[in-house]
Amino acid sequence: MQTSIATVSLAGSLAEKLRAAAAAGFDAVEVFEPDLVASPLAPAQVRALAGDLGVRIALFQPFRDPDHVDPGVRARTVQRLHRKCEVVRELGCDLLLVCSSVHPGAVREDGELAAQLRALAEVAAGHGVRLAYEALAWGTHVADYRHAARVVAAADHPALGTCVDSFHVLSRGDDPAGVAALEKVFFYQVADAPALGMDLLPLSRHHRLFPGQGGFDLAGFHRAVLASGYDGPVSLEVFNDLYRQADPGRTAVDALRSLRHLADLAEPGTLPEAPSPTGWAFVEVAASEEGSPAVTGLLGALGFARTGTHRRGEVDLWTNGGVRVVVNGRPTRARAQLSSLGLQAEAPHALAQRSRELLAAVVHRPVGTGEAEIPSLVAPDGTWVQFCGRAPDWSEDFLPVPGREPAAGPRLREVDHVALPQPFAGFDSAGLFLTAVLGLCGGELSEIAAPDGLVRSRAHCSADGAIRIALEVGPTSGRLRGRPLASGHVAFRTDDALAAAAAFAAAGGEALEVPENYYADLGARFDLDAGFLDRLRALHVLYDRDEAGGELLHFFSRALSREFFVEVLERRGGYRGFGVANTPVRLAAQRRAPGE
Amino acid sequence: MQTSIATVSLAGSLAEKLRAAAAAGFDAVEVFEPDLVASPLAPAQVRALAGDLGVRIALFQPFRDPDHVDPGVRARTVQRLHRKCEVVRELGCDLLLVCSSVHPGAVREDGELAAQLRALAEVAAGHGVRLAYEALAWGTHVADYRHAARVVAAADHPALGTCVDSFHVLSRGDDPAGVAALEKVFFYQVADAPALGMDLLPLSRHHRLFPGQGGFDLAGFHRAVLASGYDGPVSLEVFNDLYRQADPGRTAVDALRSLRHLADLAEPGTLPEAPSPTGWAFVEVAASEEGSPAVTGLLGALGFARTGTHRRGEVDLWTNGGVRVVVNGRPTRARAQLSSLGLQAEAPHALAQRSRELLAAVVHRPVGTGEAEIPSLVAPDGTWVQFCGRAPDWSEDFLPVPGREPAAGPRLREVDHVALPQPFAGFDSAGLFLTAVLGLCGGELSEIAAPDGLVRSRAHCSADGAIRIALEVGPTSGRLRGRPLASGHVAFRTDDALAAAAAFAAAGGEALEVPENYYADLGARFDLDAGFLDRLRALHVLYDRDEAGGELLHFFSRALSREFFVEVLERRGGYRGFGVANTPVRLAAQRRAPGE
């Protein structure tokens, strides 16, 4: 697969965009005309720069409004095409994207339209340039890719073909099956998009996403394009307000990751195969010297015991039943923060190799003599992800602490989920990492009204639910009001949240205080036994019920820092959610007790 | 008019919201249930706090999904209503907002729906509570305010009336004429909204605006509600992602400003009458000691002469024909920035009085003996706005500088417009200030793709076009990439931009360099004489043409600071725009030469 990206998908000057695309590893770029027009580099200099960087310029775009009922306008269009074909050639490429017309003077009759396009193709051919005609989803008369293909067939000129763009097909709800039957596909653009309930034009201009970040079935689309016989570049054309302002180097890495993942989804085996992680080995909390007593105090109250200490010191293993927490005593930006996720993997090294192909930052922790080598990745937000195999066993790197009895706190079953806060522009990037690299599946987006703005959250789960990672992101300008609005946390599952809350309190644990108004509302919303409601209230346990009658009982520790707290939850009757209905209450309570 | 605001319109905790509403001067609030549920204050404490602050709690909301085909659900709804009516009473109010049902179990038949609502009204009446039934624009069966009114009439219970909300009527495109004929309007909510081309539910939840900030005809709607005989609170219910995260004190001021302006638009004379400003008296540039030589050098190259110096020093008057620029040598955050707009006003003191009623920050500059008192406002972005009457003449405060001949630069006609950069969350606030306080009319929103993100711009003009102020705002997280993306500037109009550019260059002025690719594209897009195009290119003059054939020629000085530069423009053939098509090129060029 030849990979390509449109310069409009990246922030910066044209030169910066080319450098970012090349650095990520793209084979080619599409040059977006406004990027060239605003650039001090002449087309020949752009060509030379691309050559130096080792990226090909696959296409220049867009040439708008090719047809017109007015002969005067047509004559000017021909002149315009001459000029633009010269630019195409100066750029060292031979392909120009032509969009279906969007003005009221567009030609309605297909025969006439074909004749006009044929005339333009003849002009282009004179320059050694080919035209790729694309149906914009909001084109005046030509909005359907099949329609565009019919007109191209009727025009019957060797320099005229079509461009198919997944956005323009799938956003309209068109059946992509006909793509496989297309002839003369000169170019293929691919973009994803979320279902935002908005008109296609603003959706296209502002909210396109890289494959895997939105809701389209792009694997099927991709297969259809390949079935048509197309073997040119697969090019990402992603108009996105956030990518326009993000670091282009990072965006380009995301972009190429999404393409490689798409190719593997469409044709499994394109990437090295490796089974996805299957469950939690551990979670690691980094605690500063000041934060350490609070972390170990909290773990103790939750019934964890310090059962191991790392051969090389500074790192302890705490266990409660099958749940293992690694406490890493190293300098951190907060008193405590979630620093690493240890995931069980059947073939850690194969998974690391696959991750590397997906442009993940693969690192190797320093390994002492006799220690297990744990292939590790750094996620886009800086959290480490470590793949733990059965042998060698990572936990054998910890020397047992003799004679430690489990503490008096509650018995925990397993890690239920972790939540990772993301920088504003990093939410979709992190989601792609979880889906492409870790094989998780993203759920619905939740929007939570917090006192200082809307928080968005999306859970990503493995197929069997054994791994659940929620991403959270604060509002646009969270810094406006000076408070971080999302913090990391780990949720432990128990079989009896009320007993766990009682044991936690008895062991000196401090739960996040839940306001009385919450319980009054709970009593109004659900038909709860008065004694049960009283117990929830007394223990600061929150409650939710889903439509199928499944129930969630959960409580939170007071935050240890602005970046870390712990949740304990019980799922009854197959409850699958995360208690998002209670999140506004939790966030408001944490604002009153934000941690240090 | 009793003024009210829903707590959901403001950021913060419930207590913070109440304090912000009270501080701005609202008479009443609606308490939004999730704000109460997340609050540690019991309803009686909320009531006491509101009493202490002098704001009335006018309504509690929302009570959702009142009707249901399932008798079991109905029975629970009655229990829920009992609980919520207790809360209403504890809050010290007697009105509960009931929304039309949005679930599939909603009652379809009006007679049955009326019977169910009547039964709920009877329950509420037992608590001394009244219900205001509102048709949500996306209600399952009841989505039209006339439908809601018919059901309420059929229910015929004294404790049941309607709530009309401008959003739910106007967003659907419903004819608001029937509002005037409504009986039993128990509550009136008002909100504006932009035309974003999106579904009503996300539009409602995220993008509502205060009156005057969006596209609805709210003056007409307001008159219709008053014509119905309604004399209760006029309440702002504005779900807006930015207001959710902005300083609630500032938002509340904007909110009350919008209501007072709405009342005056609906019934002119509600506010003290005062003619709007009629034109430019001067623009003031603040220049730091280091920036001052660059500012005066630029003015000199533009043909300005220093013709006056202020009686109390540190401030000079520079003139070019009828254009006057005040240069204020005081410490600034940038080397130079636009600091004050002097507007001609027929009755400056009446205008200041009207502005004060619109909650503008009215200040008085220190006035020395014999100096003109200039009533002044501080706009939301910190820019001063000064109202200059005919007598006393503000310019007489400047002592003439003898023997100063005009410099060799171009002759300028007038201030064409100024552009003011806004903080991300301040764009709509500043727009409201310009429309409500200065009587300008906001135009279309432009979105400009800059190298580091999307910049939005909206021009606000007086009816005759004599005053034009453009607001500009950078992308969401402009700070991500570390560069400010919008800067202030003043544009001067000339009758001959090419001659002006030549004179500017000859006088040593440095124009912003425009890339060659821009002129190549211009030649392709427009049928321009080759000699004319060469002159544009040689002088770094940009060009635009509108659909009616009007033309714009304009050039920019190199930026003096990251916050200030100057534009010189010529309008030919009635061109009315601002050359937005050229803004991406200008922004990219400024990124290469950002000023110090």
Side-chain angles (χ1 to χ4, degrees):
Chain A
M1 181 175 69
Q2 299 170 53
T3 56
S4 171
I5 186 166
T7 55
V8 73
S9 314
L10 301 169
S13 68
L14 181 55
E16 287 167 340
K17 291 166 188 239
L18 294 178
R19 288 195 189 98
F26 277 95
D27 301 314
V29 297
E30 301 173 40
V31 172
F32 188 57
E33 182 179 75
D35 287 327
L36 178 68
V37 168
S39 172
L41 299 180
Q45 291 173 303
V46 175
R47 172 189 191 163
L49 175 61
D52 289 347
L53 292 167
V55 287
R56 190 165 71 83
I57 296 177
L59 174 127
F60 182 61
Q61 66 124 324
F63 188 84
R64 295 193 189 279
D65 298 329
D67 52 298
H68 207 289
V69 292
D70 180 335
V73 176
R74 278 211 303 280
R76 283 201 298 282
T77 301
V78 167
Q79 289 312 309
R80 179 160 59 99
L81 183 60
H82 275 297
R83 303 287 187 94
K84 294 302 174 186
C85 284
E86 288 164 16
V87 175
V88 171
R89 296 300 299 180
E90 285 161 18
L91 286 170
C93 89
D94 74 343
L95 197 56
L96 177 64
L97 178 71
V98 175
C99 301
S100 65
S101 293
V102 298
H103 56 75
V107 173
R108 179 185 298 271
E109 199 269 312
D110 281 358
E112 171 62 17
L113 175 57
Q116 292 195 15
L117 290 178
R118 182 182 169 81
L120 294 178
E122 189 62 25
V123 168
H127 292 271
V129 170
R130 295 175 304 138
L131 304 180
Y133 181 61
E134 175 180 57
L136 298 184
W138 51 88
T140 310
H141 302 304
V142 178
D144 180 320
Y145 70 97
R146 292 158 292 206
H147 189 178
R150 282 198 306 277
V151 173
V152 164
D156 190 25
H157 192 288
L160 182 68
T162 63
C163 171
V164 285
D165 180 330
S166 63
F167 182 89
H168 291 293
V169 177
L170 299 176
S171 68
R172 302 174 80 232
D174 274 352
D175 181 356
V179 169
L182 289 177
E183 297 173 357
K184 292 182 83 175
V185 178
F186 279 7
F187 206 68
Y188 164 30
Q189 295 174 322
V190 64
D192 209 337
L196 288 181
M198 66 197 306
D199 293 350
L200 296 188
L201 184 60
L203 182 68
S204 171
R205 295 254 169 100
H206 298 289
H207 302 288
R208 290 190 185 201
L209 293 168
F210 294 122
Q213 295 181 323
F216 292 160
D217 170 18
L218 290 179
F221 191 87
H222 191 76
R223 279 190 293 266
V225 176
L226 298 187
S228 77
Y230 179 81
D231 64 354
V234 184
S235 192
L236 293 159
E237 188 194 29
V238 173
F239 299 82
N240 179 291
D241 288 358
L242 278 176
Y243 297 151
R244 279 188 190 279
Q245 73 193 49
D247 179 288
R250 292 189 65 155
T251 307
V253 167
D254 279 353
L256 192 56
R257 174 177 297 146
S258 77
L259 265 194
R260 292 198 179 159
H261 187 230
L262 174 63
D264 191 57
L265 282 176
E267 297 186 283
T270 304
L271 290 173
E273 294 194 36
S276 291
T278 55
W280 294 98
F282 63 86
V283 294
E284 181 182 294
V285 179
S288 68
E289 201 171 325
E290 319 85 72
S292 195
V295 171
T296 56
L298 170 61
L299 290 174
L302 286 167
F304 283 85
R306 189 169 74 96
T307 54
T309 188
H310 197 274
R311 293 163 187 262
R312 284 177 288 113
E314 290 198 350
V315 181
D316 287 333
L317 178 64
W318 291 69
T319 57
N320 178 333
V323 184
R324 295 186 282 194
V325 174
V326 172
V327 179
N328 193 331
R330 60 178 169 83
T332 53
R333 62 173 187 271
R335 297 201 322 158
Q337 66 189 72
L338 209 52
S339 54
S340 182
L341 313 179
L343 301 178
Q344 295 287 0
E346 286 177 36
H349 290 277
L351 198 49
Q353 180 54 32
R354 187 176 187 281
S355 303
R356 196 179 281 114
E357 296 275 325
L358 285 164
L359 294 102
V362 179
V363 292
H364 292 273
R365 290 208 138 174
V367 173
T369 313
E371 288 178 26
E373 193 197 339
I374 308 178
S376 305
L377 318 178
V378 183
D381 66 0
T383 306
W384 283 48
V385 175
Q386 301 182 266
F387 298 136
C388 305
R390 268 176 235 164
D393 183 346
W394 64 276
S395 65
E396 290 176 3
D397 296 344
F398 291 86
L399 304 171
V401 175
R404 300 291 297 205
E405 291 298 312
R411 189 73 159 182
L412 304 176
R413 273 276 154 206
E414 62 184 5
V415 172
D416 185 87
H417 64 276
V418 303
L420 301 175
Q422 299 300 313
F424 185 70
F427 191 67
D428 291 316
S429 173
L432 180 65
F433 178 86
L434 296 182
T435 51
V437 179
L438 299 187
L440 306 183
C441 181
E444 291 298 304
L445 184 74
S446 298
E447 292 180 322
I448 300 139
D452 296 307
L454 277 191
V455 172
R456 290 174 296 144
S457 174
R458 191 194 299 277
H460 295 74
C461 302
S462 58
D464 62 359
I467 301 175
R468 299 181 184 100
I469 299 176
L471 300 177
E472 297 191 350
V473 65
T476 327
S477 313
R479 284 165 296 184
L480 255 187
R481 308 257 299 150
R483 297 184 186 85
L485 282 159
S487 60
H489 85 268
V490 54
F492 300 115
R493 195 169 66 75
T494 173
D495 292 337
D496 186 340
L498 290 169
F504 179 62
E510 281 188 281
L512 183 72
E513 285 189 31
V514 180
E516 170 56 29
N517 292 338
Y518 169 79
Y519 294 101
D521 180 62
L522 211 55
R525 287 195 292 136
F526 299 110
D527 194 24
L528 298 177
D529 175 79
F532 178 69
L533 189 61
D534 284 344
R535 284 211 74 200
L536 293 176
R537 181 190 287 113
L539 294 164
H540 295 297
V541 174
L542 296 99
Y543 177 87
D544 190 32
R545 192 192 293 165
D546 64 23
E547 297 214 335
E551 296 173 298
L552 177 75
L553 284 77
H554 58 151
F555 66 94
F556 303 93
S557 75
R558 279 182 66 117
L560 294 192
S561 73
R562 287 178 184 266
E563 306 209 10
F564 185 65
F565 65 95
V566 166
E567 174 180 3
V568 176
L569 62 80
E570 173 190 349
R571 296 173 181 275
R572 294 182 178 176
Y575 181 95
R576 294 170 61 88
F578 295 84
V580 170
N582 294 327
T583 309
V585 173
R586 191 254 292 167
L587 288 169
Q590 287 179 324
R591 188 173 183 259
R592 296 189 290 272
E596 279 163 47
Chain B
M1 178 176 72
Q2 298 170 54
T3 56
S4 172
I5 186 166
T7 56
V8 74
S9 315
L10 301 169
S13 69
L14 182 54
E16 287 168 338
K17 292 167 189 241
L18 294 178
R19 287 194 189 98
F26 277 95
D27 301 313
V29 296
E30 302 174 37
V31 171
F32 188 59
E33 183 178 74
D35 287 327
L36 179 68
V37 167
S39 173
L41 300 179
Q45 291 173 302
V46 175
R47 171 189 191 162
L49 175 61
D52 289 346
L53 293 167
V55 286
R56 189 164 73 81
I57 296 177
L59 175 128
F60 182 62
Q61 67 125 322
F63 188 85
R64 295 193 189 278
D65 297 330
D67 52 296
H68 208 288
V69 293
D70 179 335
V73 176
R74 277 211 303 281
R76 284 202 297 281
T77 301
V78 167
Q79 290 312 308
R80 179 160 59 97
L81 183 61
H82 276 296
R83 302 287 187 94
K84 294 303 175 186
C85 285
E86 289 164 15
V87 174
V88 171
R89 297 300 299 179
E90 287 161 17
L91 286 171
C93 88
D94 75 342
L95 197 56
L96 179 64
L97 178 71
V98 176
C99 300
S100 63
S101 293
V102 298
H103 55 74
V107 172
R108 179 184 296 270
E109 198 270 312
D110 282 357
E112 172 61 17
L113 175 58
Q116 291 194 17
L117 290 178
R118 182 182 169 83
L120 294 179
E122 188 63 24
V123 168
H127 292 271
V129 169
R130 296 174 305 139
L131 304 180
Y133 180 61
E134 175 179 57
L136 298 184
W138 51 88
T140 310
H141 301 305
V142 179
D144 180 320
Y145 71 98
R146 291 157 294 205
H147 189 178
R150 284 199 305 276
V151 173
V152 164
D156 191 25
H157 192 288
L160 182 68
T162 63
C163 170
V164 284
D165 180 330
S166 62
F167 182 89
H168 291 293
V169 177
L170 299 177
S171 68
R172 300 175 78 232
D174 274 353
D175 181 357
V179 169
L182 289 177
E183 296 173 359
K184 294 182 82 175
V185 177
F186 278 8
F187 205 69
Y188 165 30
Q189 295 173 322
V190 64
D192 209 337
L196 289 182
M198 66 196 306
D199 294 350
L200 296 187
L201 184 61
L203 183 69
S204 172
R205 294 252 169 102
H206 298 289
H207 301 287
R208 289 191 187 202
L209 291 168
F210 294 123
Q213 295 181 325
F216 291 161
D217 170 19
L218 290 177
F221 191 87
H222 191 75
R223 280 191 293 266
V225 176
L226 298 186
S228 78
Y230 179 80
D231 64 355
V234 184
S235 193
L236 294 159
E237 186 192 30
V238 173
F239 299 83
N240 179 292
D241 288 359
L242 278 176
Y243 296 151
R244 280 188 189 279
Q245 72 194 51
D247 178 288
R250 291 189 65 155
T251 307
V253 167
D254 279 352
L256 191 56
R257 173 177 299 145
S258 78
L259 264 194
R260 292 197 180 160
H261 187 231
L262 174 63
D264 190 57
L265 282 177
E267 298 187 284
T270 304
L271 290 173
E273 296 194 34
S276 291
T278 55
W280 294 98
F282 63 85
V283 295
E284 181 182 294
V285 179
S288 69
E289 201 171 327
E290 318 85 73
S292 195
V295 170
T296 56
L298 171 61
L299 290 173
L302 286 168
F304 283 84
R306 189 170 73 95
T307 55
T309 187
H310 199 275
R311 292 162 186 262
R312 282 178 289 112
E314 290 199 350
V315 181
D316 288 331
L317 178 63
W318 290 69
T319 57
N320 177 334
V323 185
R324 294 186 284 193
V325 174
V326 172
V327 178
N328 192 333
R330 60 179 170 81
T332 52
R333 62 173 187 271
R335 297 202 321 157
Q337 66 188 71
L338 210 51
S339 54
S340 181
L341 312 179
L343 300 178
Q344 295 287 0
E346 286 176 37
H349 290 279
L351 197 50
Q353 180 54 32
R354 187 174 188 281
S355 303
R356 196 179 281 115
E357 296 276 325
L358 285 164
L359 295 104
V362 179
V363 291
H364 292 272
R365 289 209 138 171
V367 174
T369 313
E371 285 178 27
E373 194 197 339
I374 309 178
S376 305
L377 318 178
V378 182
D381 65 2
T383 306
W384 284 49
V385 176
Q386 300 183 265
F387 297 137
C388 304
R390 267 177 237 163
D393 182 347
W394 65 275
S395 66
E396 290 175 5
D397 297 346
F398 291 85
L399 303 173
V401 176
R404 301 291 295 205
E405 292 298 310
R411 189 72 160 185
L412 304 176
R413 273 275 153 205
E414 62 184 6
V415 172
D416 186 86
H417 65 276
V418 302
L420 301 174
Q422 300 299 314
F424 186 70
F427 190 68
D428 291 317
S429 173
L432 181 64
F433 179 86
L434 296 182
T435 52
V437 179
L438 300 188
L440 306 183
C441 181
E444 292 296 304
L445 184 73
S446 298
E447 292 180 321
I448 300 139
D452 295 307
L454 277 190
V455 172
R456 289 175 296 145
S457 173
R458 190 193 301 276
H460 295 72
C461 302
S462 56
D464 62 359
I467 302 175
R468 301 183 183 98
I469 300 175
L471 300 177
E472 297 191 350
V473 65
T476 327
S477 314
R479 283 166 298 185
L480 255 186
R481 305 258 298 154
R483 295 184 188 88
L485 282 160
S487 62
H489 84 268
V490 54
F492 300 114
R493 193 168 67 75
T494 175
D495 291 336
D496 186 340
L498 289 170
F504 179 62
E510 281 188 282
L512 182 73
E513 284 189 31
V514 179
E516 169 56 30
N517 291 337
Y518 169 79
Y519 294 101
D521 180 62
L522 211 55
R525 286 196 291 136
F526 299 110
D527 193 24
L528 297 177
D529 175 79
F532 178 69
L533 189 60
D534 284 344
R535 285 212 74 198
L536 294 176
R537 180 190 289 114
L539 294 165
H540 295 298
V541 174
L542 297 100
Y543 177 87
D544 191 32
R545 193 192 292 166
D546 64 23
E547 298 214 333
E551 295 173 299
L552 177 74
L553 284 78
H554 58 152
F555 67 93
F556 303 94
S557 76
R558 280 182 66 117
L560 294 192
S561 72
R562 285 176 186 268
E563 306 210 8
F564 185 64
F565 65 95
V566 166
E567 174 180 4
V568 175
L569 61 80
E570 173 191 349
R571 296 173 181 275
R572 294 182 177 176
Y575 182 95
R576 294 168 62 89
F578 296 83
V580 170
N582 294 328
T583 310
V585 173
R586 192 252 293 167
L587 289 169
Q590 288 179 325
R591 185 174 185 258
R592 296 190 290 271
E596 282 164 43

